[in-house]
């Protein structure tokens, strides 16, 4: 477990705003309400599509992140471009969120984030100057998740390198680094190859780990 006390939402917000001051395009994370209530962190490589609406448009220093308002803006922007309301990844992320928070599962809300907080259409378009992990590191230490789930080859490999592990996909591994202990689960990218049954099963596994 994490050895340091959790900060308050007010302290979290102050630090987050300072980090975002010179990062106008940042998409640091998505969650429902306070990120400090999340016991599960879902980690990708970086967001694929920038949004016109900024992160702070949906952030409250007292309530946390307004997921409902964000999703409405997300859908509106995609539909304005002639796209489907949800990408395959977003659809699967929503299903996993529902599975983890279902009454018969009794899990915990998921905080969705990425190794790198800047969006880009693909990995090659992510500038070197945008490849720092300040936001990810801040979230890991302040949220103190019990479970970290990485999805996709690049996110999986980053965490494997960081914690000097092999990628042992679809298996639970306990990691400890700088006084932090959590369960890590590396899996395939949520954009493809996932049925709702498979997502529901992962949600159940998460709940079992949290119980």
């Amino acid at each position: 477990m994490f050895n340091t006390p959790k900060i308050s939402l007010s302290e979290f917000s102050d630090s987050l705003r300072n980090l975002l001051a010179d990062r106008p395009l940042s998409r640091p994370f998505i969650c429902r309400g306070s990120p400090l209530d999340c016991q599960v962190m879902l980690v990708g490589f970086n967001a694929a599509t920038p949004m016109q609406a900024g992160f702070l448009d949906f952030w409250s220093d007292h309530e946390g992140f307004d997921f409902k308002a964000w999703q409405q803006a997300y859908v509106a922007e995609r539909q304005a471009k002639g796209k489907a309301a949800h990408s395959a990844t977003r659809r699967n992320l929503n299903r996993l969120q529902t599975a983890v928070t279902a009454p018969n599962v009794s899990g915990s809300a998921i905080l969705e984030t990425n190794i790198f907080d800047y969006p880009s259409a693909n990995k090659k378009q992510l500038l070197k100057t945008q490849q720092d992990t300040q936001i990810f590191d801040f979230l890991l230490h302040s949220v103190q998740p019990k479970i970290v789930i990485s999805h996709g080859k690049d996110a999986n490999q980053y965490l494997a390198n960081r914690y000097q592990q092999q990628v042992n996909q679809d298996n639970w591994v306990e990691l400890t680094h700088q006084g932090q202990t959590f369960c890590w689960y590396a899996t395939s990218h949520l954009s493809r190859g996932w049925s709702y049954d498979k997502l529901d099963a992962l949600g159940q596994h998460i709940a079992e780990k949290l119980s």
Side-chain angles (χ1 to χ4, degrees):
M1 301 300 297
F2 285 66
N3 295 326
T4 55
K6 275 195 175 184
I7 61 176
S8 68
L9 183 59
S10 176
E11 291 170 323
F12 177 95
S13 187
D14 288 345
S15 296
L16 178 64
R17 286 182 179 277
N18 287 334
L19 283 170
L20 295 179
D22 59 351
R23 306 166 86 95
L25 298 179
S26 175
R27 287 180 58 180
F29 62 87
I30 293 170
C31 67
R32 289 168 168 81
S34 172
L36 301 179
D37 292 336
C38 298
Q39 297 186 68
V40 183
M41 184 179 288
L42 184 65
V43 183
F45 185 70
N46 75 314
T49 308
M51 289 180 62
Q52 293 180 357
F55 172 84
L56 292 177
D57 294 333
F58 310 102
W59 177 257
S60 163
D61 294 341
H62 305 291
E63 302 295 332
F65 191 76
D66 189 341
F67 178 85
K68 184 177 180 180
W70 174 85
Q71 183 157 246
Q72 289 173 343
Y74 166 86
V75 169
E77 287 193 22
R78 284 183 60 87
Q79 291 181 330
K81 297 175 183 177
K83 296 181 178 181
H86 297 93
S87 67
T89 303
R90 180 74 259 154
R91 187 168 58 249
N92 289 338
L93 286 168
N94 286 350
R95 180 72 182 203
L96 184 58
Q97 286 271 13
T98 299
V100 170
T101 56
N104 64 323
V105 173
S106 300
S108 170
I110 295 175
L111 183 143
E112 302 171 21
T113 190
N114 293 287
I115 302 300
F116 302 119
D117 58 296
Y118 285 95
S120 64
N122 55 57
K123 180 180 176 181
K124 291 182 179 179
Q125 291 185 14
L126 187 66
L127 302 177
K128 289 290 185 182
T129 55
Q130 298 172 334
Q131 295 181 33
D132 72 71
T133 62
Q134 287 186 70
I135 296 292
F136 177 72
D137 295 339
F138 165 68
L139 292 173
L140 189 62
H141 287 282
S142 56
V143 174
Q144 302 181 18
K146 293 182 179 179
I147 291 175
V148 173
I149 299 174
S150 59
H151 66 110
K153 178 181 178 181
D154 294 315
N156 294 342
Q157 194 59 57
Y158 171 84
L159 286 173
N161 292 344
R162 176 172 179 149
Y163 295 104
Q164 299 181 342
Q165 298 283 325
Q166 295 293 321
V167 175
N168 192 9
Q169 190 162 306
D170 297 325
N171 287 280
W172 295 97
V173 178
E174 186 174 277
L175 297 180
T176 301
H177 180 68
Q178 296 182 348
Q180 307 170 14
T181 301
F182 53 85
C183 290
W184 173 42
Y185 187 88
T187 192
S188 58
H189 199 279
L190 289 173
S191 62
R192 62 185 68 87
W194 287 83
S195 66
Y196 280 172
D197 285 345
K198 186 177 178 182
L199 290 164
D200 291 347
L202 178 55
Q204 184 65 53
H205 289 317
I206 290 170
E208 291 170 357
K209 283 290 180 181
L210 293 174
S211 62

